[in-house]
């Protein structure tokens, strides 16, 4: 995926049960220079149903909230990484801050990485920072995809 090709949108799937977070994520994407197309789902069950129905046309990246009803982000990540047709889907964990401690958050990031998550974003309260962290996560995934295509 080349940033100089704005006519080829980068397909993003966002799984988040919080309506406000989905709104701000959508708004942030619209203000970025990367051409994107966004699909959203509201909980883990909807996410897994969507992915199973679209295995032939998966998004380029999934932004996955950890704390969702019906099926958590942890459960979804584990299921995705165990499924042969889904396991290569890049997943960026996207969650509210855990206030327990930095040590706890570091352990959480490490656990999620071992489970197969590509990145971890703590949802910032500031919109400009939100745009920045989403943009940085997208650029990482785009760079990985470009590298994989060069290796083929």
């Amino acid at each position: 995926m080349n940033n100089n090709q704005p006519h080829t949108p980068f397909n993003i799937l966002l799984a988040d049960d919080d309506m406000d977070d989905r709104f701000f994520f959508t708004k942030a994407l619209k203000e970025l220079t990367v051409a994107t197309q966004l699909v959203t789902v509201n909980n883990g069950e909807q996410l897994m149903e969507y992915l199973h129905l679209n295995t032939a046309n998966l998004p380029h990246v999934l932004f996955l909230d950890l704390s969702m009803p019906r099926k958590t982000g942890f459960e979804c990540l584990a299921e995705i990484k165990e499924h042969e047709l889904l396991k290569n889907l890049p997943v960026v964990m996207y969650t509210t801050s855990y206030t327990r401690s930095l040590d706890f958050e570091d352990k959480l990031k490490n656990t999620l990485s071992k489970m197969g998550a590509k990145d971890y974003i703590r949802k910032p309260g500031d919109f400009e920072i939100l745009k920045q962290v989403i943009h940085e996560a997208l650029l990482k995934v785009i760079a990985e995809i470009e590298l994989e295509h060069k290796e083929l």
Side-chain angles (χ1 to χ4, degrees):
M1 167 125 287
N2 187 328
N3 282 344
N4 297 329
Q5 297 174 346
H7 300 295
T8 306
F10 196 70
N11 294 314
I12 299 169
L13 177 59
L14 171 64
D16 196 325
D17 63 307
D18 187 289
M19 186 170 52
D20 290 337
D21 287 342
R22 289 192 310 269
F23 171 80
F24 286 114
F25 188 97
T26 302
K27 184 176 178 187
L29 276 185
K30 289 178 182 177
E31 294 188 20
L32 298 180
T33 57
V34 178
T36 60
Q37 182 173 337
L38 176 66
V39 173
T40 62
V41 293
N42 302 332
N43 63 56
E45 285 181 357
Q46 284 182 356
L47 168 65
M48 297 315 299
E49 181 179 334
Y50 177 87
L51 290 174
H52 288 294
L53 291 173
N54 291 283
T55 55
N57 191 26
L58 291 174
H60 292 105
V61 64
L62 165 63
F63 283 81
L64 177 58
D65 185 24
L66 274 179
S67 302
M68 292 187 296
R70 299 195 180 134
K71 193 176 276 197
T72 69
F74 283 108
E75 293 169 311
C76 292
L77 180 62
E79 191 174 326
I80 288 166
K81 294 306 174 181
E82 291 172 1
H83 191 285
E84 189 61 33
L85 297 175
L86 303 177
K87 68 182 181 182
N88 293 321
L89 174 63
V91 178
V92 175
M93 302 311 293
Y94 181 67
T95 188
T96 50
S97 174
Y98 282 89
T99 56
R100 293 181 189 175
S101 70
L102 287 177
D103 185 51
F104 177 81
E105 189 168 45
D106 286 341
K107 288 178 182 176
L108 175 64
K109 288 179 190 179
N110 189 36
T111 299
L112 292 168
S113 178
K114 286 180 181 177
M115 289 176 69
K118 291 286 185 188
D119 208 348
Y120 172 94
I121 295 175
R122 186 178 346 131
K123 297 175 186 175
D126 180 273
F127 183 70
E128 291 303 315
I129 296 173
L130 175 65
K131 286 193 318 188
Q132 180 182 349
V133 295
I134 291 172
H135 190 245
E136 288 171 3
L138 287 176
L139 291 179
K140 284 181 194 177
V141 173
I142 290 169
E144 286 183 17
I145 290 171
E146 287 179 340
L147 183 62
E148 288 172 10
H149 282 105
K150 284 181 185 178
E151 292 175 353
L152 296 177

